[in-house]
Amino acid sequence: IFPDTDTNQGTNYPENFVEIYVKKIFVKLFRIFCIIYWSYKDDMGEHLIHLNTCFRHYIYFALEHNLLPEDEKEIMPIEDIVTRLKSDFARKTILPPKKDKK
C-alpha cells in the first residue's frame, strides 16, 4: 500500500491513494466505532469518556479531510452523535477559548 521511501527512488503515492485506501480505512474505523457505541456503550462506565474523546478526534479529522462515509446508512446507527459533533466542528468549538494572560 505504501511506497518505499527509504530507497529514495522517487516513488510517490498513487494519485487515488486517498480515495482507494484512506477512505476505506476510515469507513472501517467508523464501523468499529458504531459497533462499540451500539453494543457496549452502557457497559463502558467511566471508560465512555475516553471513547467519546477518541471518536471526537476521529470525526474532526475526518471532517477536516473529507473522509467520513458518504453513505447515510453507514452513519445512521450513531447519527445523533455524529450530527452533534458536526455542528460543534462547524462552529469551531473544538477547543475552549484561550484566556488572555495578564
Side-chain angles (χ1 to χ4, degrees):
I1 293 176
F2 301 104
D4 183 14
T5 56
D6 292 336
T7 60
N8 294 327
Q9 295 179 357
T11 308
N12 295 324
Y13 288 97
E15 288 182 28
N16 55 359
F17 182 77
V18 172
E19 285 296 319
I20 291 181
Y21 297 108
V22 177
K23 281 197 174 191
K24 284 185 181 180
I25 291 169
F26 265 74
V27 167
K28 290 176 189 234
L29 284 171
F30 188 83
R31 289 178 184 162
I32 291 169
F33 277 114
C34 285
I35 291 168
I36 293 171
Y37 271 110
W38 189 260
S39 301
Y40 304 106
K41 185 174 114 177
D42 296 334
D43 300 331
M44 294 196 67
E46 64 188 41
H47 301 292
L48 184 61
I49 295 169
H50 301 295
L51 176 64
N52 289 340
T53 301
C54 289
F55 189 60
R56 179 180 296 267
H57 286 286
Y58 166 84
I59 289 291
Y60 289 163
F61 186 86
L63 287 170
E64 185 74 29
H65 299 286
N66 195 26
L67 297 171
L68 275 183
E70 295 173 5
D71 186 4
E72 292 296 322
K73 291 179 186 175
E74 293 278 347
I75 296 175
M76 205 174 348
I78 55 175
E79 184 178 15
D80 56 331
I81 299 169
V82 173
T83 303
R84 184 172 31 105
L85 290 174
K86 280 182 175 181
S87 67
D88 289 349
F89 183 79
R91 289 190 314 249
K92 300 293 183 189
T93 58
I94 298 170
L95 299 174
K98 293 181 180 179
K99 296 181 180 178
D100 292 334
K101 293 182 180 179
K102 293 183 179 181

